[in-house]
Amino acid sequence: MTSAVPVVTDIAYQDLLDDPYPIFRRLRELAPAVYVEPAKLTLVTRFDDIVRIERDPATYSADNPASLVNKVMGPTFMRKDGAEHAIGRKAIEPSFRPATIKEHWAPKFTAIAQALIDDLSAADEADLFAALAAPMASLSLMAMIGFREMPWQTLADWSQALIDGAGNYAADAGVERKAMQASADVDAAIDAVLDDHRSKPNPSILSSMVNADPPMPIEGIRANIKVIIGGGLNEPRDAILTLVLGLLQDPTQKHSVLAKPELWPTALEEAVRWISPIGMYPRRVTRDVDLSGTTLPEDLQIGLCIGAANRDGNRFAEPDRFDVMRPKQSHLAFGAGPHFCAGTWVSRLTVGKIVAPMLFDRLRNLRLRAEVPPVVRGWVFRGPVTLPVRWDA
Ligand code: HEM
């Protein structure tokens, strides 16, 4: 006996943005899938159900022709299944190889972090969002893509405009205009460098794409670069901030990690479990199916709430606590299945091995400012939007 998807109407969208976790707990307890009226989407919030879904891409497709992502960015491999997805994924793979990350990207990202932290150390307080995390994520991604140098804010603005456009379900004309302008600007930035990358192959993503076998058509390059701009900037930014926040709000954990630097990678994994930078991503149900006793009809759009699954009490003890010492358990912050994040290893390196250790090493007695508490926001994407800190000059 299976049940229909229950509907919840009494949730304020603002509450989802401010603090989705009590709502996620309620949804997890209610049913495997719940239609949440203010989000206009059926949400899946239990860890085991999301793992099950990601193991069955034929039933739960990433391909969604009606997706706004396709409208704003073009046909991307992130919204394709099977062979079409694999071609796009293979085309970028050379830029993400472990040896390339270690030998090529690590020194570049270390230099970027050093320059930003040098600037910081002249002062004794800052908001780490704009002073470190956002420029760090933007400048690293700019280098990795293979763009000409530009102000970090330009790439960050394109990223935000594309993300806003892809989530513009209210069809706001201003949001659409900005997204389309960002899309045109990205196309121009690609055109400006593509011949160079073709004639002088190098580890950048554009070079990997243009020299792939078979070469990626220009529409594919454009769309996939936009997905990477939309998905490869805010997440490492938010992971840096969340990791720093987790440690600063609990001095015992901070001291444990500083005393045992080999804990940095674990601390990063715990940070993205605790507050997952991507809280939800979509899938489309391709046939009537039973998900743990709830019937999902063909063509239903569902949102996989990995931000909720990563706080599922059936998998993680005291799930709401940031706890670097918790028993090792895999999480879903980088997704699962065929679309598992391509940037996982590069983010683990940048955030967990370069930026966060260097920050705590260089800024003595780094601490939160009691009078200006940090603000964390979002549910589809979530992270600190301000992180004011102070240190000893
Ligand atoms: C802490 C940082 C990051 C987190 C938490 C994260 C998370 C995720 C998640 C959850 C997905 C799956 C989305 C879906 O299936 O719809 C994903 C996909 C992806 N991510 Fe990341 N990401 C991070 C950093 C990055 C970076 C730095 C890059 C690129 C430089 C990147 C590139 C991608 C790409 C290309 C995909 C699509 C993969 C595919 O469809 O096969 N990510 N990421």
Side-chain angles (χ1 to χ4, degrees):
M1 172 77 187
T2 66
S3 322
V5 173
V7 176
V8 166
T9 55
D10 61 344
I11 289 173
Y13 197 77
Q14 191 59 43
D15 290 344
L16 262 177
L17 293 174
D18 291 344
D19 182 5
Y21 299 112
I23 297 170
F24 286 161
R25 191 178 316 122
R26 177 178 164 203
L27 301 179
R28 265 196 321 265
E29 283 164 10
L30 184 61
V34 180
Y35 182 76
V36 177
E37 215 279 324
K40 307 234 173 315
L41 197 61
T42 298
L43 301 181
V44 178
T45 50
R46 296 178 186 168
F47 191 96
D48 291 347
D49 287 331
I50 294 183
V51 170
R52 205 164 290 139
I53 285 171
E54 288 291 51
R55 283 192 186 134
D56 184 3
T59 307
Y60 301 97
S61 171
D63 191 345
N64 185 354
S67 156
L68 277 176
V69 171
N70 287 1
K71 183 173 170 203
V72 174
M73 306 191 192
T76 101
F77 72 113
M78 200 175 74
R79 292 285 168 264
K80 293 281 177 221
D81 296 326
E84 276 183 294
H85 166 253
I87 290 173
R89 185 82 189 217
K90 186 166 161 266
I92 62 169
E93 184 269 333
S95 305
F96 292 88
R97 282 184 191 143
T100 309
I101 292 176
K102 196 167 155 214
E103 285 150 29
H104 188 81
W105 300 123
K108 284 203 164 19
F109 297 169
T110 303
I112 295 171
Q114 255 155 4
L116 291 167
I117 295 174
D118 281 351
D119 284 352
L120 273 180
S121 52
D124 65 355
E125 63 178 45
D127 180 345
L128 290 182
F129 183 98
L132 177 69
M136 179 72 216
S138 177
L139 294 169
S140 320
L141 189 66
M142 201 182 293
M144 236 192 136
I145 289 176
F147 278 146
R148 285 198 186 128
E149 279 182 27
M150 59 181 120
W152 70 263
Q153 290 90 343
T154 305
L155 190 64
D157 288 348
W158 290 346
S159 174
Q160 199 55 54
L162 291 170
I163 290 172
D164 291 345
N168 186 22
Y169 293 101
D172 181 300
V175 171
E176 183 169 341
R177 202 171 42 248
K178 269 191 173 172
M180 290 309 176
Q181 184 59 53
S183 184
D185 290 346
V186 172
D187 290 347
I190 294 173
D191 289 349
V193 293
L194 213 53
D195 283 345
D196 279 358
H197 288 305
R198 193 178 285 114
S199 58
K200 294 186 215 99
N202 60 74
S204 72
I205 298 172
L206 277 170
S207 176
S208 295
M209 284 175 168
V210 81
N211 297 304
D213 181 17
M216 188 176 276
I218 185 67
E219 305 74 47
I221 293 180
R222 288 178 169 164
N224 294 334
I225 288 293
K226 284 168 203 165
V227 157
I228 290 170
I229 294 173
L233 197 156
N234 290 4
E235 293 73 9
R237 177 197 71 197
D238 294 349
I240 294 169
L241 295 168
T242 297
L243 173 53
V244 175
L245 174 63
L247 293 176
L248 292 187
Q249 64 161 34
D250 185 343
T252 318
Q253 308 237 12
K254 178 179 109 175
H255 293 311
S256 305
V257 174
L258 296 189
K260 256 178 117 186
E262 63 272 27
L263 282 177
W264 276 114
T266 313
L268 166 66
E269 298 304 317
E270 174 61 359
V272 295
R273 178 205 68 80
W274 178 52
I275 301 180
S276 304
I278 293 187
M280 186 278 285
Y281 55 83
R283 293 289 182 261
R284 183 174 54 85
V285 178
T286 60
R287 62 177 174 90
D288 293 354
V289 65
D290 168 66
L291 178 71
S292 305
T294 295
T295 307
L296 306 182
E298 182 177 345
D299 270 340
L300 183 72
Q301 306 288 338
I302 55 174
L304 307 190
C305 280
I306 53 173
N310 282 337
R311 293 212 187 188
D312 187 335
N314 285 330
R315 181 164 180 92
F316 303 102
E318 286 193 80
D320 294 330
R321 225 168 83 78
F322 173 80
D323 179 6
V324 176
M325 301 304 171
R326 67 173 59 250
K328 199 172 171 194
Q329 270 294 29
S330 64
H331 58 74
L332 290 168
F334 293 106
H339 294 273
F340 182 72
C341 174
T344 304
W345 288 101
V346 86
S347 301
R348 284 177 170 152
L349 170 92
T350 318
V351 184
K353 294 198 172 160
I354 297 176
V355 183
M358 194 189 290
L359 181 75
F360 280 88
D361 187 45
R362 294 278 307 279
L363 304 185
R364 251 180 338 119
N365 192 17
L366 188 65
R367 55 199 185 273
L368 294 173
R369 291 177 56 194
E371 71 284 14
V372 212
V375 177
V376 183
R377 194 170 299 138
W379 73 282
V380 176
F381 301 98
R382 187 166 178 85
V385 290
T386 64
L387 185 54
V389 291
R390 178 168 288 145
W391 58 91
D392 295 347

